[in-house]
Amino acid sequence: MKNKNSTIPSMLSALCKKAPSKTAMFLNNGNKISYEDMMWDVSMTSRALKEQGITKSSKVALFMDNSPQTVVSFLAITKMGAVAVLLRNDFSKEQIASILEEAGPDAVFVSENKMKYLPKIKDMAVLALDDNRVLSSVSRQVSNSITEVKEKDNAVILYGCQNGQIFRKEYTQEGFADMSSECKKSNTSGPVNTIIDAVKTFIAPVLNGVTVMTAI
């Protein structure tokens, strides 16, 4: 059966209305984050992106790791209709440079210890993954218009590496929602060897109402 919530924003909205107090993320220090609290963080992150001129169809790169900040940043990017460009956190400096130069993102979320890995890309804002601080700003007109996110809008670009070769996989809002609806539980016991494994372990289950285990 086709998923009636066929965009990431519609899936989030349905979950928060149904069970706002349900635990979305369980941290390895014992703390919990509810869907309601997670959505507050998502809203704050979306605001930081809008202040950098990020709008629908803008590209925002994100270094993937198993942290609540990664989940929140991804949801903020895709909720506002921007395209999340996902990279593994363990990519080499050369791989990151190649991917970012090809993708040409308007902004990137990165841990400060990864700043040295970023190539200089014109008009790319840099935000700290842990708290949305602007590490490098750009001059860009800020648009306050709200545009509806639709099923066929591009939502996610995943970059991975197989046999030494970088590959790229794209999802529309509908395609990612469909993939997420198939993830019935969070698989935290097995290895996370690819960017797709990471998405299915750390992000997709949250969109399906499943509590995920994350680091601090």
Side-chain angles (χ1 to χ4, degrees), residues 92-123:
S92 68
K93 184 175 182 178
E94 291 73 22
Q95 288 172 321
I96 290 169
S98 174
I99 291 169
L100 293 184
E101 287 171 7
E102 177 191 289
D106 301 288
V108 58
F109 281 102
V110 63
S111 301
E112 285 194 74
N113 63 356
K114 287 283 185 178
M115 278 285 291
K116 61 181 181 292
Y117 281 56
L118 297 181
K120 292 187 180 299
I121 297 179
K122 183 180 179 182
D123 297 333

PDB file of all heavy atoms in Angstrom, residues 92-123:
ATOM      1  N   SER A  92      37.801  10.602   3.187  1.00  0.00           N
ATOM      2  CA  SER A  92      39.093  11.283   3.196  1.00  0.00           C
ATOM      3  C   SER A  92      38.936  12.726   2.732  1.00  0.00           C
ATOM      4  O   SER A  92      37.906  13.114   2.158  1.00  0.00           O
ATOM      5  CB  SER A  92      40.076  10.566   2.266  1.00  0.00           C
ATOM      6  OG  SER A  92      39.665  10.731   0.907  1.00  0.00           O
ATOM      7  N   LYS A  93      39.946  13.523   2.969  1.00  0.00           N
ATOM      8  CA  LYS A  93      39.927  14.918   2.542  1.00  0.00           C
ATOM      9  C   LYS A  93      39.750  15.013   1.037  1.00  0.00           C
ATOM     10  O   LYS A  93      39.025  15.881   0.530  1.00  0.00           O
ATOM     11  CB  LYS A  93      41.235  15.606   2.965  1.00  0.00           C
ATOM     12  CG  LYS A  93      41.282  17.091   2.653  1.00  0.00           C
ATOM     13  CD  LYS A  93      42.548  17.718   3.211  1.00  0.00           C
ATOM     14  CE  LYS A  93      42.573  19.219   2.934  1.00  0.00           C
ATOM     15  NZ  LYS A  93      43.779  19.858   3.519  1.00  0.00           N
ATOM     16  N   GLU A  94      40.407  14.117   0.300  1.00  0.00           N
ATOM     17  CA  GLU A  94      40.314  14.129  -1.164  1.00  0.00           C
ATOM     18  C   GLU A  94      38.907  13.754  -1.624  1.00  0.00           C
ATOM     19  O   GLU A  94      38.373  14.350  -2.553  1.00  0.00           O
ATOM     20  CB  GLU A  94      41.340  13.158  -1.765  1.00  0.00           C
ATOM     21  CG  GLU A  94      42.790  13.578  -1.599  1.00  0.00           C
ATOM     22  CD  GLU A  94      43.310  13.418  -0.174  1.00  0.00           C
ATOM     23  OE1 GLU A  94      42.714  12.608   0.599  1.00  0.00           O
ATOM     24  OE2 GLU A  94      44.279  14.107   0.186  1.00  0.00           O
ATOM     25  N   GLN A  95      38.297  12.763  -0.977  1.00  0.00           N
ATOM     26  CA  GLN A  95      36.927  12.360  -1.336  1.00  0.00           C
ATOM     27  C   GLN A  95      35.933  13.481  -1.052  1.00  0.00           C
ATOM     28  O   GLN A  95      35.049  13.765  -1.865  1.00  0.00           O
ATOM     29  CB  GLN A  95      36.541  11.094  -0.569  1.00  0.00           C
ATOM     30  CG  GLN A  95      37.238   9.832  -1.045  1.00  0.00           C
ATOM     31  CD  GLN A  95      36.957   8.651  -0.137  1.00  0.00           C
ATOM     32  OE1 GLN A  95      36.908   8.779   1.088  1.00  0.00           O
ATOM     33  NE2 GLN A  95      36.766   7.474  -0.731  1.00  0.00           N
ATOM     34  N   ILE A  96      36.076  14.123   0.103  1.00  0.00           N
ATOM     35  CA  ILE A  96      35.174  15.218   0.464  1.00  0.00           C
ATOM     36  C   ILE A  96      35.293  16.367  -0.525  1.00  0.00           C
ATOM     37  O   ILE A  96      34.291  16.933  -0.982  1.00  0.00           O
ATOM     38  CB  ILE A  96      35.476  15.704   1.897  1.00  0.00           C
ATOM     39  CG1 ILE A  96      35.050  14.632   2.903  1.00  0.00           C
ATOM     40  CG2 ILE A  96      34.745  17.020   2.187  1.00  0.00           C
ATOM     41  CD1 ILE A  96      35.531  14.884   4.306  1.00  0.00           C
ATOM     42  N   ALA A  97      36.528  16.712  -0.875  1.00  0.00           N
ATOM     43  CA  ALA A  97      36.738  17.799  -1.830  1.00  0.00           C
ATOM     44  C   ALA A  97      36.090  17.483  -3.170  1.00  0.00           C
ATOM     45  O   ALA A  97      35.416  18.333  -3.771  1.00  0.00           O
ATOM     46  CB  ALA A  97      38.235  18.061  -2.005  1.00  0.00           C
ATOM     47  N   SER A  98      36.267  16.256  -3.631  1.00  0.00           N
ATOM     48  CA  SER A  98      35.697  15.855  -4.917  1.00  0.00           C
ATOM     49  C   SER A  98      34.170  15.914  -4.899  1.00  0.00           C
ATOM     50  O   SER A  98      33.541  16.432  -5.832  1.00  0.00           O
ATOM     51  CB  SER A  98      36.166  14.430  -5.259  1.00  0.00           C
ATOM     52  OG  SER A  98      35.538  13.959  -6.431  1.00  0.00           O
ATOM     53  N   ILE A  99      33.573  15.409  -3.816  1.00  0.00           N
ATOM     54  CA  ILE A  99      32.116  15.382  -3.722  1.00  0.00           C
ATOM     55  C   ILE A  99      31.546  16.787  -3.616  1.00  0.00           C
ATOM     56  O   ILE A  99      30.581  17.135  -4.316  1.00  0.00           O
ATOM     57  CB  ILE A  99      31.682  14.530  -2.511  1.00  0.00           C
ATOM     58  CG1 ILE A  99      31.990  13.053  -2.773  1.00  0.00           C
ATOM     59  CG2 ILE A  99      30.198  14.717  -2.228  1.00  0.00           C
ATOM     60  CD1 ILE A  99      31.833  12.173  -1.544  1.00  0.00           C
ATOM     61  N   LEU A 100      32.115  17.605  -2.748  1.00  0.00           N
ATOM     62  CA  LEU A 100      31.574  18.952  -2.556  1.00  0.00           C
ATOM     63  C   LEU A 100      31.743  19.819  -3.806  1.00  0.00           C
ATOM     64  O   LEU A 100      30.873  20.637  -4.121  1.00  0.00           O
ATOM     65  CB  LEU A 100      32.224  19.622  -1.352  1.00  0.00           C
ATOM     66  CG  LEU A 100      31.898  19.008   0.014  1.00  0.00           C
ATOM     67  CD1 LEU A 100      32.530  19.829   1.129  1.00  0.00           C
ATOM     68  CD2 LEU A 100      30.398  18.903   0.229  1.00  0.00           C
ATOM     69  N   GLU A 101      32.832  19.624  -4.508  1.00  0.00           N
ATOM     70  CA  GLU A 101      33.022  20.389  -5.738  1.00  0.00           C
ATOM     71  C   GLU A 101      32.013  19.975  -6.804  1.00  0.00           C
ATOM     72  O   GLU A 101      31.531  20.793  -7.578  1.00  0.00           O
ATOM     73  CB  GLU A 101      34.460  20.217  -6.232  1.00  0.00           C
ATOM     74  CG  GLU A 101      35.466  20.984  -5.378  1.00  0.00           C
ATOM     75  CD  GLU A 101      36.907  20.643  -5.712  1.00  0.00           C
ATOM     76  OE1 GLU A 101      37.125  19.904  -6.698  1.00  0.00           O
ATOM     77  OE2 GLU A 101      37.810  21.097  -4.990  1.00  0.00           O
ATOM     78  N   GLU A 102      31.657  18.686  -6.823  1.00  0.00           N
ATOM     79  CA  GLU A 102      30.650  18.220  -7.777  1.00  0.00           C
ATOM     80  C   GLU A 102      29.254  18.671  -7.370  1.00  0.00           C
ATOM     81  O   GLU A 102      28.473  19.153  -8.196  1.00  0.00           O
ATOM     82  CB  GLU A 102      30.660  16.700  -7.875  1.00  0.00           C
ATOM     83  CG  GLU A 102      29.571  16.159  -8.808  1.00  0.00           C
ATOM     84  CD  GLU A 102      29.399  14.655  -8.716  1.00  0.00           C
ATOM     85  OE1 GLU A 102      30.291  13.948  -9.186  1.00  0.00           O
ATOM     86  OE2 GLU A 102      28.375  14.211  -8.161  1.00  0.00           O
ATOM     87  N   ALA A 103      28.933  18.507  -6.084  1.00  0.00           N
ATOM     88  CA  ALA A 103      27.576  18.805  -5.621  1.00  0.00           C
ATOM     89  C   ALA A 103      27.304  20.300  -5.549  1.00  0.00           C
ATOM     90  O   ALA A 103      26.181  20.746  -5.777  1.00  0.00           O
ATOM     91  CB  ALA A 103      27.343  18.162  -4.257  1.00  0.00           C
ATOM     92  N   GLY A 104      28.324  21.093  -5.203  1.00  0.00           N
ATOM     93  CA  GLY A 104      28.146  22.534  -5.101  1.00  0.00           C
ATOM     94  C   GLY A 104      27.098  22.951  -4.092  1.00  0.00           C
ATOM     95  O   GLY A 104      26.182  23.712  -4.413  1.00  0.00           O
ATOM     96  N   PRO A 105      27.198  22.492  -2.824  1.00  0.00           N
ATOM     97  CA  PRO A 105      26.182  22.837  -1.833  1.00  0.00           C
ATOM     98  C   PRO A 105      26.211  24.320  -1.459  1.00  0.00           C
ATOM     99  O   PRO A 105      27.253  24.982  -1.542  1.00  0.00           O
ATOM    100  CB  PRO A 105      26.560  21.973  -0.630  1.00  0.00           C
ATOM    101  CG  PRO A 105      28.038  21.758  -0.774  1.00  0.00           C
ATOM    102  CD  PRO A 105      28.282  21.666  -2.242  1.00  0.00           C
ATOM    103  N   ASP A 106      25.061  24.829  -1.033  1.00  0.00           N
ATOM    104  CA  ASP A 106      24.959  26.214  -0.578  1.00  0.00           C
ATOM    105  C   ASP A 106      25.402  26.356   0.867  1.00  0.00           C
ATOM    106  O   ASP A 106      25.715  27.451   1.328  1.00  0.00           O
ATOM    107  CB  ASP A 106      23.508  26.692  -0.720  1.00  0.00           C
ATOM    108  CG  ASP A 106      23.022  26.596  -2.154  1.00  0.00           C
ATOM    109  OD1 ASP A 106      23.470  27.414  -2.978  1.00  0.00           O
ATOM    110  OD2 ASP A 106      22.225  25.685  -2.457  1.00  0.00           O
ATOM    111  N   ALA A 107      25.395  25.255   1.608  1.00  0.00           N
ATOM    112  CA  ALA A 107      25.823  25.245   3.006  1.00  0.00           C
ATOM    113  C   ALA A 107      26.260  23.842   3.371  1.00  0.00           C
ATOM    114  O   ALA A 107      25.952  22.874   2.667  1.00  0.00           O
ATOM    115  CB  ALA A 107      24.698  25.717   3.925  1.00  0.00           C
ATOM    116  N   VAL A 108      26.967  23.738   4.497  1.00  0.00           N
ATOM    117  CA  VAL A 108      27.413  22.423   4.965  1.00  0.00           C
ATOM    118  C   VAL A 108      27.420  22.424   6.487  1.00  0.00           C
ATOM    119  O   VAL A 108      27.796  23.409   7.124  1.00  0.00           O
ATOM    120  CB  VAL A 108      28.816  22.072   4.405  1.00  0.00           C
ATOM    121  CG1 VAL A 108      29.852  23.104   4.791  1.00  0.00           C
ATOM    122  CG2 VAL A 108      29.251  20.677   4.861  1.00  0.00           C
ATOM    123  N   PHE A 109      26.937  21.318   7.084  1.00  0.00           N
ATOM    124  CA  PHE A 109      27.062  21.090   8.521  1.00  0.00           C
ATOM    125  C   PHE A 109      28.274  20.202   8.740  1.00  0.00           C
ATOM    126  O   PHE A 109      28.397  19.142   8.125  1.00  0.00           O
ATOM    127  CB  PHE A 109      25.818  20.374   9.067  1.00  0.00           C
ATOM    128  CG  PHE A 109      24.636  21.258   9.280  1.00  0.00           C
ATOM    129  CD1 PHE A 109      23.594  21.275   8.374  1.00  0.00           C
ATOM    130  CD2 PHE A 109      24.550  22.087  10.400  1.00  0.00           C
ATOM    131  CE1 PHE A 109      22.481  22.078   8.568  1.00  0.00           C
ATOM    132  CE2 PHE A 109      23.447  22.895  10.606  1.00  0.00           C
ATOM    133  CZ  PHE A 109      22.412  22.902   9.692  1.00  0.00           C
ATOM    134  N   VAL A 110      29.146  20.613   9.668  1.00  0.00           N
ATOM    135  CA  VAL A 110      30.375  19.863   9.873  1.00  0.00           C
ATOM    136  C   VAL A 110      30.835  20.007  11.312  1.00  0.00           C
ATOM    137  O   VAL A 110      30.612  21.045  11.953  1.00  0.00           O
ATOM    138  CB  VAL A 110      31.477  20.364   8.896  1.00  0.00           C
ATOM    139  CG1 VAL A 110      31.833  21.806   9.168  1.00  0.00           C
ATOM    140  CG2 VAL A 110      32.712  19.479   8.954  1.00  0.00           C
ATOM    141  N   SER A 111      31.434  18.958  11.861  1.00  0.00           N
ATOM    142  CA  SER A 111      32.096  19.059  13.159  1.00  0.00           C
ATOM    143  C   SER A 111      33.348  19.913  12.984  1.00  0.00           C
ATOM    144  O   SER A 111      34.001  19.858  11.942  1.00  0.00           O
ATOM    145  CB  SER A 111      32.483  17.673  13.678  1.00  0.00           C
ATOM    146  OG  SER A 111      31.346  16.849  13.809  1.00  0.00           O
ATOM    147  N   GLU A 112      33.673  20.693  14.003  1.00  0.00           N
ATOM    148  CA  GLU A 112      34.800  21.623  13.863  1.00  0.00           C
ATOM    149  C   GLU A 112      36.112  20.908  13.554  1.00  0.00           C
ATOM    150  O   GLU A 112      36.974  21.450  12.870  1.00  0.00           O
ATOM    151  CB  GLU A 112      34.932  22.483  15.125  1.00  0.00           C
ATOM    152  CG  GLU A 112      33.875  23.564  15.215  1.00  0.00           C
ATOM    153  CD  GLU A 112      34.191  24.614  16.246  1.00  0.00           C
ATOM    154  OE1 GLU A 112      35.086  25.444  16.006  1.00  0.00           O
ATOM    155  OE2 GLU A 112      33.537  24.598  17.308  1.00  0.00           O
ATOM    156  N   ASN A 113      36.259  19.666  14.046  1.00  0.00           N
ATOM    157  CA  ASN A 113      37.503  18.944  13.764  1.00  0.00           C
ATOM    158  C   ASN A 113      37.599  18.494  12.313  1.00  0.00           C
ATOM    159  O   ASN A 113      38.626  17.976  11.883  1.00  0.00           O
ATOM    160  CB  ASN A 113      37.664  17.753  14.705  1.00  0.00           C
ATOM    161  CG  ASN A 113      36.568  16.715  14.539  1.00  0.00           C
ATOM    162  OD1 ASN A 113      35.630  16.899  13.768  1.00  0.00           O
ATOM    163  ND2 ASN A 113      36.679  15.611  15.269  1.00  0.00           N
ATOM    164  N   LYS A 114      36.500  18.673  11.548  1.00  0.00           N
ATOM    165  CA  LYS A 114      36.513  18.337  10.129  1.00  0.00           C
ATOM    166  C   LYS A 114      36.647  19.579   9.247  1.00  0.00           C
ATOM    167  O   LYS A 114      36.665  19.469   8.022  1.00  0.00           O
ATOM    168  CB  LYS A 114      35.228  17.592   9.749  1.00  0.00           C
ATOM    169  CG  LYS A 114      35.150  16.165  10.255  1.00  0.00           C
ATOM    170  CD  LYS A 114      36.007  15.240   9.408  1.00  0.00           C
ATOM    171  CE  LYS A 114      35.846  13.797   9.816  1.00  0.00           C
ATOM    172  NZ  LYS A 114      36.645  12.892   8.958  1.00  0.00           N
ATOM    173  N   MET A 115      36.742  20.752   9.854  1.00  0.00           N
ATOM    174  CA  MET A 115      36.821  21.994   9.077  1.00  0.00           C
ATOM    175  C   MET A 115      37.986  21.978   8.088  1.00  0.00           C
ATOM    176  O   MET A 115      37.872  22.463   6.966  1.00  0.00           O
ATOM    177  CB  MET A 115      36.967  23.193  10.017  1.00  0.00           C
ATOM    178  CG  MET A 115      35.667  23.683  10.615  1.00  0.00           C
ATOM    179  SD  MET A 115      34.676  24.606   9.419  1.00  0.00           S
ATOM    180  CE  MET A 115      35.667  26.084   9.218  1.00  0.00           C
ATOM    181  N   LYS A 116      39.089  21.388   8.510  1.00  0.00           N
ATOM    182  CA  LYS A 116      40.281  21.366   7.660  1.00  0.00           C
ATOM    183  C   LYS A 116      40.087  20.512   6.412  1.00  0.00           C
ATOM    184  O   LYS A 116      40.871  20.580   5.471  1.00  0.00           O
ATOM    185  CB  LYS A 116      41.485  20.869   8.455  1.00  0.00           C
ATOM    186  CG  LYS A 116      41.345  19.459   9.005  1.00  0.00           C
ATOM    187  CD  LYS A 116      42.576  19.071   9.810  1.00  0.00           C
ATOM    188  CE  LYS A 116      42.486  17.657  10.372  1.00  0.00           C
ATOM    189  NZ  LYS A 116      41.458  17.544  11.419  1.00  0.00           N
ATOM    190  N   TYR A 117      39.040  19.688   6.401  1.00  0.00           N
ATOM    191  CA  TYR A 117      38.756  18.830   5.259  1.00  0.00           C
ATOM    192  C   TYR A 117      37.971  19.549   4.169  1.00  0.00           C
ATOM    193  O   TYR A 117      37.835  19.029   3.067  1.00  0.00           O
ATOM    194  CB  TYR A 117      37.947  17.608   5.707  1.00  0.00           C
ATOM    195  CG  TYR A 117      38.764  16.523   6.361  1.00  0.00           C
ATOM    196  CD1 TYR A 117      39.561  16.776   7.467  1.00  0.00           C
ATOM    197  CD2 TYR A 117      38.734  15.225   5.876  1.00  0.00           C
ATOM    198  CE1 TYR A 117      40.300  15.775   8.073  1.00  0.00           C
ATOM    199  CE2 TYR A 117      39.474  14.216   6.474  1.00  0.00           C
ATOM    200  CZ  TYR A 117      40.259  14.505   7.572  1.00  0.00           C
ATOM    201  OH  TYR A 117      40.998  13.507   8.164  1.00  0.00           O
ATOM    202  N   LEU A 118      37.430  20.721   4.488  1.00  0.00           N
ATOM    203  CA  LEU A 118      36.557  21.402   3.540  1.00  0.00           C
ATOM    204  C   LEU A 118      37.350  22.193   2.503  1.00  0.00           C
ATOM    205  O   LEU A 118      38.202  23.006   2.862  1.00  0.00           O
ATOM    206  CB  LEU A 118      35.610  22.364   4.272  1.00  0.00           C
ATOM    207  CG  LEU A 118      34.621  21.750   5.254  1.00  0.00           C
ATOM    208  CD1 LEU A 118      33.759  22.848   5.863  1.00  0.00           C
ATOM    209  CD2 LEU A 118      33.741  20.713   4.571  1.00  0.00           C
ATOM    210  N   PRO A 119      37.067  21.992   1.225  1.00  0.00           N
ATOM    211  CA  PRO A 119      37.680  22.845   0.199  1.00  0.00           C
ATOM    212  C   PRO A 119      37.018  24.213   0.217  1.00  0.00           C
ATOM    213  O   PRO A 119      35.917  24.384   0.756  1.00  0.00           O
ATOM    214  CB  PRO A 119      37.353  22.096  -1.105  1.00  0.00           C
ATOM    215  CG  PRO A 119      36.060  21.408  -0.806  1.00  0.00           C
ATOM    216  CD  PRO A 119      36.138  21.008   0.650  1.00  0.00           C
ATOM    217  N   LYS A 120      37.686  25.185  -0.325  1.00  0.00           N
ATOM    218  CA  LYS A 120      37.097  26.528  -0.411  1.00  0.00           C
ATOM    219  C   LYS A 120      36.124  26.549  -1.581  1.00  0.00           C
ATOM    220  O   LYS A 120      36.530  26.429  -2.723  1.00  0.00           O
ATOM    221  CB  LYS A 120      38.186  27.581  -0.578  1.00  0.00           C
ATOM    222  CG  LYS A 120      39.070  27.737   0.649  1.00  0.00           C
ATOM    223  CD  LYS A 120      40.020  28.914   0.482  1.00  0.00           C
ATOM    224  CE  LYS A 120      40.912  29.073   1.714  1.00  0.00           C
ATOM    225  NZ  LYS A 120      40.137  29.332   2.942  1.00  0.00           N
ATOM    226  N   ILE A 121      34.844  26.672  -1.272  1.00  0.00           N
ATOM    227  CA  ILE A 121      33.807  26.713  -2.298  1.00  0.00           C
ATOM    228  C   ILE A 121      33.074  28.037  -2.195  1.00  0.00           C
ATOM    229  O   ILE A 121      32.585  28.421  -1.125  1.00  0.00           O
ATOM    230  CB  ILE A 121      32.815  25.542  -2.141  1.00  0.00           C
ATOM    231  CG1 ILE A 121      33.552  24.213  -2.339  1.00  0.00           C
ATOM    232  CG2 ILE A 121      31.649  25.665  -3.114  1.00  0.00           C
ATOM    233  CD1 ILE A 121      32.667  22.992  -2.191  1.00  0.00           C
ATOM    234  N   LYS A 122      33.014  28.745  -3.280  1.00  0.00           N
ATOM    235  CA  LYS A 122      32.383  30.060  -3.310  1.00  0.00           C
ATOM    236  C   LYS A 122      30.912  29.943  -2.910  1.00  0.00           C
ATOM    237  O   LYS A 122      30.208  29.045  -3.343  1.00  0.00           O
ATOM    238  CB  LYS A 122      32.505  30.666  -4.706  1.00  0.00           C
ATOM    239  CG  LYS A 122      31.944  32.077  -4.822  1.00  0.00           C
ATOM    240  CD  LYS A 122      32.097  32.607  -6.225  1.00  0.00           C
ATOM    241  CE  LYS A 122      31.520  34.009  -6.336  1.00  0.00           C
ATOM    242  NZ  LYS A 122      31.609  34.539  -7.721  1.00  0.00           N
ATOM    243  N   ASP A 123      30.472  30.861  -2.076  1.00  0.00           N
ATOM    244  CA  ASP A 123      29.064  30.986  -1.670  1.00  0.00           C
ATOM    245  C   ASP A 123      28.562  29.819  -0.829  1.00  0.00           C
ATOM    246  O   ASP A 123      27.360  29.581  -0.746  1.00  0.00           O
ATOM    247  CB  ASP A 123      28.153  31.155  -2.889  1.00  0.00           C
ATOM    248  CG  ASP A 123      28.449  32.426  -3.671  1.00  0.00           C
ATOM    249  OD1 ASP A 123      28.940  33.388  -3.039  1.00  0.00           O
ATOM    250  OD2 ASP A 123      28.215  32.448  -4.877  1.00  0.00           O
TER     251      ASP A 123
END
